[in-house]
Amino acid sequence: LGGILLARLLSPRDFGIYAVTIFVVLKLRASSELGLNVRLIHDEQPSSDAQQRSVFTLHLLVAIAAYAVAYLLAPWLAAMFQLGSGGTAFFRLVGVSILIHPLSIVPAALLARRLAYDRVTFGDLANGIVYQTAAVALAFGGFSFWSFGLASLLSDLVRVLVLNVSAPWRFGLAWDGPY
């Protein structure tokens, strides 16, 4: 239903701007995936607070580097894809999702280790509902392609919140060398 409403409210150009932007951002976000969360899931012993923080810290550092690339390339990408005024700012805004993602790595791994996929699914469902609702509301408000970007960030934050409430962990930065 949300997609149908968005198709009626937004122009093909708005969809195109978001498609190009999210493609680039998701590629950068995927490049920051290190697979260390799998170790949190499959190690024989449950992970320590230091190990969880180390995984988070490394993912955050790589995400910061990926966002820096997105931030620096934003003017060039906006010009290359002829996104017009606001294209650079939109790339940078949507790129913030790269920085949000590491906040979900540890709780998602802890839930997977406990086979609590219902809670992971609830986080994903909340993400989808919030995204559709916010995007439609913002589109009704005249936010054009910004509707997609703002809804995306809001829904990512909701997913992070749901996962962290479902699997609390001692948030922090650490470096456990052997891990």
Side-chain angles (χ1 to χ4, degrees):
L1 180 63
I4 294 169
L5 290 172
L6 289 171
R8 291 290 187 190
L9 294 168
L10 300 174
S11 71
R13 184 176 187 282
D14 293 333
F15 277 89
I17 290 171
Y18 181 65
V20 166
T21 304
I22 200 68
F23 175 80
V24 172
V25 167
L26 288 178
K27 289 298 177 192
L28 285 169
R29 192 165 105 178
S31 71
S32 68
E33 286 287 331
L34 303 173
L36 294 175
N37 52 329
V38 174
R39 190 160 180 194
L40 291 177
I41 298 167
H42 295 292
D43 272 358
E44 287 183 28
Q45 299 297 320
S47 57
S48 68
D49 289 344
Q51 290 167 328
Q52 292 169 11
R53 289 185 189 134
S54 293
V55 167
F56 169 72
T57 300
L58 191 53
H59 275 273
L60 182 62
L61 290 172
V62 173
I64 289 169
Y67 180 73
V69 168
Y71 188 91
L72 294 172
L73 289 179
W76 179 77
L77 291 167
M80 184 176 87
F81 292 113
Q82 301 173 1
L83 301 184
S85 65
T88 298
F90 188 67
F91 258 108
R92 289 174 175 165
L93 173 79
V94 175
V96 171
S97 72
I98 296 168
L99 298 173
I100 294 171
H101 184 66
L103 298 169
S104 68
I105 297 289
V106 172
L110 295 175
L111 290 170
R113 181 177 175 86
R114 294 193 305 238
L115 302 176
Y117 294 112
D118 57 331
R119 293 176 187 231
V120 175
T121 301
F122 181 71
D124 292 339
L125 183 63
N127 176 289
I129 291 170
V130 168
Y131 175 80
Q132 292 294 325
T133 304
V136 169
L138 290 164
F140 267 120
F143 282 83
S144 68
F145 60 86
W146 291 94
S147 304
F148 292 120
L150 294 168
S152 180
L153 291 180
L154 180 60
S155 64
D156 284 350
L157 289 170
V158 167
R159 182 176 184 272
V160 164
L161 179 66
V162 168
L163 291 177
N164 278 280
V165 167
S166 297
W169 62 288
R170 294 183 51 118
F171 176 82
L173 301 175
W175 189 262
D176 184 9
Y179 204 69

